[in-house]
Amino acid sequence: QVHLVESGGGLVQAGGSLRLSCAASGSINSINAMGWYRQTPGKQREQVATITSGGSTNYPDSVKGRFTISRDNAKNTVYLQMNSLKPEDTAVYYCNAQQWLAGTKDYWGQGTQVTVSS
């Protein structure tokens, strides 16, 4: 089992920055990848950034160049630095951890609200 706790959401003006944190506990040595996803009402949850245990990162075009995912292995924490925020970035952001076993097992945090005002 993996337990994830997010923090760092809030209200920011367009063009501003926020940093989200996700602290992992439990079976952290079994985690193969971590990432951030976001969701707005009526829409599917979408990937924002991922980082593998080997350090490979991936971003969709919508956030590439503005968002950066990083990790601090000593603190078992993953961060999402969000710069040049836009109103369309407003969403609930969820931390995700994956175990790649026979298939993929996903763990989710409780979510943190990010609101970008225009």
Side-chain angles (χ1 to χ4, degrees):
Q1 284 288 332
V2 174
H3 186 54
L4 304 172
V5 178
E6 302 111 332
S7 60
L11 173 65
V12 64
Q13 287 189 330
S17 299
L18 278 176
R19 190 177 79 157
L20 305 182
S21 300
C22 174
S25 61
S27 302
I28 56 176
N29 290 332
S30 65
I31 296 174
N32 297 104
M34 293 189 70
W36 291 93
Y37 292 70
R38 65 187 181 189
Q39 190 170 23
T40 54
K43 292 189 176 181
Q44 283 191 326
R45 194 170 294 187
E46 64 172 351
Q47 178 184 304
V48 174
T50 60
I51 185 167
T52 68
S53 56
S56 298
T57 58
N58 189 59
Y59 307 90
D61 289 343
S62 58
V63 307
K64 198 171 292 183
R66 300 188 298 123
F67 291 10
T68 303
I69 189 170
S70 63
R71 64 186 186 188
D72 185 332
N73 291 332
K75 296 182 178 179
N76 300 321
T77 300
V78 170
Y79 303 98
L80 182 67
Q81 178 66 44
M82 304 185 292
N83 299 328
S84 303
L85 282 161
K86 305 175 181 180
E88 51 263 43
D89 294 318
T90 295
V92 177
Y93 284 69
Y94 295 91
C95 180
N96 168 268
Q98 287 189 342
Q99 293 171 334
W100 301 338
L101 304 170
T104 298
K105 185 173 179 64
D106 285 290
Y107 296 92
W108 297 95
Q110 81 282 0
T112 185
Q113 177 71 45
V114 171
T115 302
V116 184
S117 63
S118 56

